[in-house]
Amino acid sequence: MKKAFYIEWLWMKTHPTITIALVFIYYSCVSEFQPRFIGSDSDILVANSFIFADSVPVVSLMRSKNKLGDDWHPEKNASVKIEKISPNNSSDLQTFDLLLVDSVYKSLIPLEAGFEYRLKVRSKDGIILSASTYIPFPVKVDSIVRSQGPVMSFDGHTGSTNLDRIFFHPKAEAVNYFETKFYRRDVLSNPDEWGIAVEDNYSIYKSYNRDEIILSENLPDQFLFAFPFSVNGNAGSQIQLTFYRGSMVFILETTSAEYYHYKKSLYAHLDAISYQAFTSTSDLYNPSIFKTPLPLFSNIEGGRGIFAGLSRDFYIIERYWYEED
């Protein structure tokens, strides 16, 4: 026993480098593993703003100290400006200073359609964000015709149903970007003694759409609250868009390219991550869990977020008896 101990001591004395390495490996195996996430201490600054024609701009500016974004809080004491750009992009026509009101930055001056706008943000610690977008002129809905027509169900069977055929003329531009929505009025929300609503309260309506234009967008679902799509406007011909019968008010939003790409990426992203939090073993065999979450489209330079312009037109499909002229 003493001889074996002496040999081991002699080997450690003559091979000090190997001995130190073995001791390090031993303690590395028995000590608790403490992961370090690269860049986890870096701040994330996100600016979000959808600017509408004839509306005041509102910018949400949020910061997180965590790379995973688990502790968002409003970014205060920042300089937030929106610049109105001349059509030839040669100069700034007007600068809007936005002030912090109720955790968002607002201006009291409404914006106009037909102009490009540039967002400029400088945080209190010197982080600079910038982005540009365009508020398009609204495309008007020509008419909506309610009729019956053939429809193919999701299981391949054909039948007939009530349809809304929406007609409009896109602008004579290479590409027009749009988003559609339906709203219904909550008539009995605040009825008076005759049962007539005193206040107009509307809620968004989820609807189906299997129109060829919408199907060509390859959206992950055809049962949505809003449908982004694009059409070619060079021909200047009238566009027909067919919906399963919707509700009272049809909204046609003419959007910037930034909004269109953001909304398309948002739908694809949400579709992929909806299968991430499975709760049962059977979900492990669902092929949808292998969908890869795509990054959201962002046009904010120096940070993340979206700055996009929209214009809106609406069409009342039908009126109640007490609204008739």
Side-chain angles (χ1 to χ4, degrees), residues 217-282:
E217 294 292 340
N218 296 317
L219 299 173
D221 196 353
Q222 300 306 128
F223 184 51
L224 299 169
F225 287 108
F227 293 88
F229 65 96
S230 62
V231 295
N232 190 316
N234 284 336
S237 58
Q238 190 177 55
I239 297 295
Q240 174 184 305
L241 194 67
T242 303
F243 276 82
Y244 294 153
R245 179 160 290 188
S247 195
M248 283 194 59
V249 181
F250 175 77
I251 304 292
L252 180 64
E253 290 178 338
T254 309
T255 76
S256 61
E258 292 81 19
Y259 181 89
Y260 169 81
H261 293 302
Y262 162 77
K263 200 60 177 287
K264 289 287 294 289
S265 69
L266 176 62
Y267 277 151
H269 181 85
L270 294 177
D271 177 63
I273 67 174
S274 63
Y275 295 97
Q276 299 302 308
F278 49 81
T279 57
S280 64
T281 306
S282 61

Side-chain angles (χ1 to χ4, degrees), residues 146-152 158-165 242 244:
R146 312 207 87 170
S147 62
Q148 279 202 334
V151 64
M152 180 177 290
T158 59
S160 62
T161 187
N162 295 322
L163 300 174
D164 287 330
R165 303 184 189 278
T242 303
Y244 294 153

Side-chain angles (χ1 to χ4, degrees), residues 13-25:
K13 185 176 181 181
T14 55
H15 299 80
T17 303
I18 298 177
T19 302
I20 293 173
L22 291 174
V23 172
F24 175 78
I25 293 172

Side-chain angles (χ1 to χ4, degrees), residues 71-298:
D71 58 344
W72 294 105
H73 57 87
E75 177 71 4
K76 300 180 180 180
N77 302 319
S79 170
V80 181
K81 301 177 183 293
I82 291 181
E83 297 175 345
K84 181 180 180 182
I85 310 301
S86 62
N88 58 7
N89 204 28
S90 61
S91 62
D92 301 339
L93 295 178
Q94 192 174 6
T95 299
F96 305 87
D97 291 306
L98 281 66
L99 301 178
L100 184 65
V101 180
D102 297 330
S103 301
V104 294
Y105 289 85
K106 295 182 179 180
S107 170
L108 298 178
I109 304 175
L111 306 181
E112 299 178 70
F115 290 93
E116 183 179 353
Y117 291 90
R118 182 183 298 119
L119 173 68
K120 287 189 174 181
V121 175
R122 185 181 184 89
S123 68
K124 59 183 178 182
D125 56 351
I127 297 178
I128 297 176
L129 309 181
S130 64
S132 297
T133 192
Y134 176 77
I135 299 182
F137 288 103
V139 170
K140 300 292 184 180
V141 178
D142 296 334
S143 62
I144 295 182
V145 178
R146 312 207 87 170
S147 62
Q148 279 202 334
V151 64
M152 180 177 290
S153 62
F154 289 96
D155 57 6
H157 293 86
T158 59
S160 62
T161 187
N162 295 322
L163 300 174
D164 287 330
R165 303 184 189 278
I166 295 99
F167 298 90
F168 61 94
H169 283 83
K171 299 292 184 181
E173 299 172 355
V175 183
N176 287 244
Y177 300 99
F178 298 100
E179 184 172 67
T180 63
K181 302 172 184 175
F182 279 103
Y183 281 83
R184 60 184 176 188
R185 187 157 70 171
D186 304 325
V187 180
L188 299 180
S189 57
N190 291 295
D192 61 12
E193 56 184 311
W194 294 284
I196 299 176
V198 177
E199 297 180 3
D200 290 339
N201 294 323
Y202 293 88
S203 58
I204 195 167
Y205 180 78
K206 200 171 186 179
S207 60
Y208 284 101
N209 191 297
R210 293 179 68 79
D211 184 272
E212 290 184 4
I213 294 177
I214 301 299
L215 288 176
S216 67
E217 294 292 340
N218 296 317
L219 299 173
D221 196 353
Q222 300 306 128
F223 184 51
L224 299 169
F225 287 108
F227 293 88
F229 65 96
S230 62
V231 295
N232 190 316
N234 284 336
S237 58
Q238 190 177 55
I239 297 295
Q240 174 184 305
L241 194 67
T242 303
F243 276 82
Y244 294 153
R245 179 160 290 188
S247 195
M248 283 194 59
V249 181
F250 175 77
I251 304 292
L252 180 64
E253 290 178 338
T254 309
T255 76
S256 61
E258 292 81 19
Y259 181 89
Y260 169 81
H261 293 302
Y262 162 77
K263 200 60 177 287
K264 289 287 294 289
S265 69
L266 176 62
Y267 277 151
H269 181 85
L270 294 177
D271 177 63
I273 67 174
S274 63
Y275 295 97
Q276 299 302 308
F278 49 81
T279 57
S280 64
T281 306
S282 61
D283 290 322
L284 293 171
Y285 299 94
N286 188 331
S288 295
I289 66 175
F290 293 99
K291 290 182 178 179
T292 302
L294 300 176
L296 287 179
F297 175 86
S298 171

